[in-house]
Amino acid sequence: MRTKPVLPGIVAAALLALAQAAHADAGVDYAEAWRRVRATAGSVNGARLDFQAKQLQAEALRRIDGPDVRLSGFAGRVSTTLSVDTGAIAQLANPVLDSLPPLPGLNLPDVPQALNVDRVFDVRSLGLSTVWPLYTGGRLDAVKQIAAGRADEAGASVQAALDDASTQLAQRYFTVQLARKAWQLRSAAVEVAKEHQRMALKMERTGLIAKVERLKADVAVDNALREAAKAGSDLEIAQLALRRLLDAPDAVLPATPLFVHAQPPGSLASFIDAAMASNAAWKQIASKRKQADGAVQLQGRAFSPTVIGIANYNLNRGSSSRANWLVGVSVSVPLVERIDRARMISAARLEQQRVVVAAEQAGRDLPTLAESQWRTMEDARLRYLSMGSAIELAYETRRLAQVGFQNGQATSTDVADASLNYTKASLERSQAAYEYVMALARLLGTAGDPGRLYALSRSATHIVDLTKE
């Protein structure tokens, strides 16, 4: 008979990966993984930077309706030509000069029509000026409201990015746990198949069973090894995905197991209320409503008068200059503009209506989404709890099949089928736990509280134990 390897290469690689993970980064619970994701996720960090920028912009506009004071100065050299009109003098003086008898050694010139003198002198100016918007029809308040709405929208985007990151983390983190359980079950099935193979070989040698029964045992071992190899490969892929998500230099071994609660972690109504109060998409709609209201106010007051207080104080001192000041009020009333304000107002109101429509739709969609996720969670929870008896039956059936084979009352096929059924039932129950956790993670994201998942894992009454079959 050909010898069977203990485990194929890929299963051995999975064992090595688990050993390396336990040595490199042992016991990373979900809370620590969530902290790492919040710190390293590019989408979260990008949204957070955008939020900080929008906050600074909104804060920069807080005093937009207040006065500003500026100190202005000028120093330079000016060249100018001074011109004096002497035409009238020339008209009177030149005939007189012409009528005088010539004097020896003296030639009197005519008086010119104009005198031009070039002057170059230094100019210095120093003063304080202030401009204060006294009345703008509420337009500056609208500008501040729009800026605040943009900051709120950016903050909601941060929460949306965190919700998406939490769902992705839960998927990758607990996929590793599910893959570990699958690999454990498949490896245990290999050992059961090998034990049956050894028993079949002994019984064949003593003539208790035919060769075909031993060959069926060989096939069962090969099938179990193949499934264990696939489970090992799936585990390696899941670990690699989690490692890259956490940006870890070495393999990561999750410490928080799959879990299920005996009772729902919250009522459907409580999750719906939380979603309507804290959902990121709902907050984004609220921020867009604030921006739309501000835009309507901004465009609607476009023809309001603008009153601005103006003051100036000249600080020049010296013999050639004296201090002076100016205080006044400027009033501006737009009459005709190049922009069609009526159409701009209509566009702003349409945008406002669009936000209202989106809010109405979200008011219907969010409860539906929360209810769908809650019922998916409940279905997985009840399915897990109800499968306990099926696991016990499958285990006992496998044990009886093994005993029956030793007593000649069962075939190798019976043993293989019983073992396969037990492994399948155990995998289905683990899959139900995984679906429960994922549905809960999505539900918490919809409710705007993804960080609560770890606390709920600590209060769970049922866990998927990875230390035993």
Side-chain angles (χ1 to χ4, degrees):
M1 184 191 74
R2 59 187 177 91
T3 60
K4 302 287 185 180
V6 176
L7 284 176
I10 195 166
V11 179
L15 281 171
L16 179 61
L18 282 173
Q20 291 175 343
H23 180 267
D25 208 348
V28 177
D29 61 22
Y30 190 81
E32 171 63 17
W34 178 225
R35 185 194 65 78
R36 294 188 189 184
V37 167
R38 292 199 309 270
T40 60
S43 59
V44 174
N45 288 333
R48 189 178 290 120
L49 291 173
D50 181 61
F51 174 51
Q52 293 173 354
K54 293 295 194 303
Q55 273 189 318
L56 291 175
Q57 291 172 3
E59 292 173 1
L61 295 175
R62 284 186 305 176
R63 293 183 60 254
I64 194 174
D65 52 356
D68 63 359
V69 179
R70 298 187 182 187
L71 176 65
S72 60
F74 174 80
R77 174 162 291 196
V78 178
S79 174
T80 185
T81 300
L82 299 178
S83 180
V84 179
D85 185 7
T86 58
I89 299 176
Q91 186 176 6
L92 296 174
N94 285 335
V96 175
L97 294 175
D98 293 340
S99 65
L100 293 176
L103 298 176
L106 181 62
N107 186 14
L108 297 175
D110 292 338
V111 177
Q113 295 294 322
L115 295 177
N116 296 319
V117 179
D118 291 335
R119 289 287 307 276
V120 177
F121 54 92
D122 294 332
V123 176
R124 293 180 179 84
S125 175
L126 182 64
L128 290 173
S129 62
T130 181
V131 175
W132 189 344
L134 301 177
Y135 177 77
T136 60
R139 293 192 295 274
L140 296 183
D141 291 335
V143 171
K144 290 193 290 185
Q145 180 176 336
I146 292 173
R150 289 176 178 173
D152 292 343
E153 183 179 3
S157 296
V158 173
Q159 181 180 335
L162 286 171
D163 292 343
D164 292 340
S166 69
T167 301
Q168 186 180 37
L169 172 63
Q171 188 270 327
R172 295 194 183 186
Y173 188 95
F174 290 106
T175 293
V176 172
Q177 298 296 61
L178 179 62
R180 286 175 64 192
K181 186 62 178 180
W183 178 82
Q184 177 194 30
L185 291 170
R186 294 298 184 184
S187 299
V190 169
E191 296 305 318
V192 171
K194 284 180 174 294
E195 179 64 27
H196 174 66
Q197 183 188 45
R198 288 190 289 269
M199 180 62 64
L201 179 60
K202 292 179 182 179
M203 295 178 70
E204 180 191 11
R205 288 173 178 172
T206 58
L208 295 177
I209 61 172
K211 180 180 179 180
V212 67
E213 293 297 326
R214 193 264 302 165
L215 290 175
K216 290 180 180 178
D218 293 345
V219 171
V221 171
D222 290 338
N223 291 337
L225 286 171
R226 184 171 60 253
E227 293 297 332
K230 183 179 182 303
S233 177
D234 292 342
L235 176 58
E236 287 187 273
I237 294 172
Q239 285 183 326
L240 179 61
L242 178 61
R243 172 185 172 182
R244 289 179 176 172
L245 176 64
L246 299 181
D247 194 24
D250 300 304
V252 176
L253 184 64
T256 302
L258 290 167
F259 60 90
V260 176
H261 291 89
Q263 299 295 329
S267 65
L268 174 59
S270 66
F271 280 107
I272 291 178
D273 291 342
M276 297 302 293
S278 304
N279 182 265
W282 190 252
K283 290 182 178 179
Q284 286 177 330
I285 291 175
S287 66
K288 288 184 178 296
R289 187 196 300 271
K290 181 185 293 186
Q291 295 176 59
D293 293 344
V296 171
Q297 181 180 354
L298 181 64
Q299 297 299 333
R301 301 297 180 87
F303 288 101
S304 298
T306 301
V307 181
I308 299 176
I310 300 173
N312 181 271
Y313 186 78
N314 194 336
L315 299 176
N316 287 339
R317 293 292 187 273
S319 59
S320 60
S321 63
R322 66 184 181 206
N324 55 65
W325 54 269
L326 178 150
V327 176
V329 176
S330 171
V331 180
S332 173
V333 180
L335 299 178
V336 179
E337 290 189 345
R338 295 187 300 271
I339 300 176
D340 190 338
R341 291 295 177 183
R343 293 184 182 274
M344 293 295 290
I345 294 173
S346 298
R349 287 175 177 168
L350 288 175
E351 178 65 19
Q352 189 180 44
Q353 294 175 11
R354 186 187 71 84
V355 175
V356 172
V357 171
E360 292 175 351
Q361 185 64 43
R364 295 189 295 268
D365 291 344
L366 276 178
T368 302
L369 177 62
E371 181 171 356
S372 174
Q373 293 170 339
W374 188 87
R375 294 192 182 281
T376 299
M377 176 192 70
E378 272 297 278
D379 178 69
R381 186 182 69 87
L382 295 175
R383 191 165 69 253
Y384 177 89
L385 296 177
S386 66
M387 291 182 67
S389 59
I391 298 296
E392 293 182 7
L393 175 61
Y395 181 84
E396 184 65 17
T397 301
R398 186 183 68 174
R399 188 186 69 81
L400 292 177
Q402 292 171 327
V403 173
F405 179 79
Q406 296 175 10
N407 296 328
Q409 297 176 350
T411 65
S412 292
T413 301
D414 296 331
V415 175
D417 290 344
S419 178
L420 181 62
N421 288 336
Y422 174 75
T423 302
K424 181 179 178 182
S426 299
L427 285 174
E428 287 179 354
R429 198 181 195 209
S430 299
Q431 180 68 31
Y434 172 79
E435 292 174 2
Y436 171 80
V437 173
M438 287 307 304
L440 178 58
R442 295 188 184 96
L443 181 59
L444 292 174
T446 300
D449 192 14
R452 189 184 167 201
L453 184 62
Y454 177 69
L456 289 175
S457 72
R458 300 293 300 272
S459 64
T461 52
H462 299 272
I463 64 171
V464 177
D465 193 353
L466 292 171
T467 62
K468 63 181 181 180
E469 180 188 350

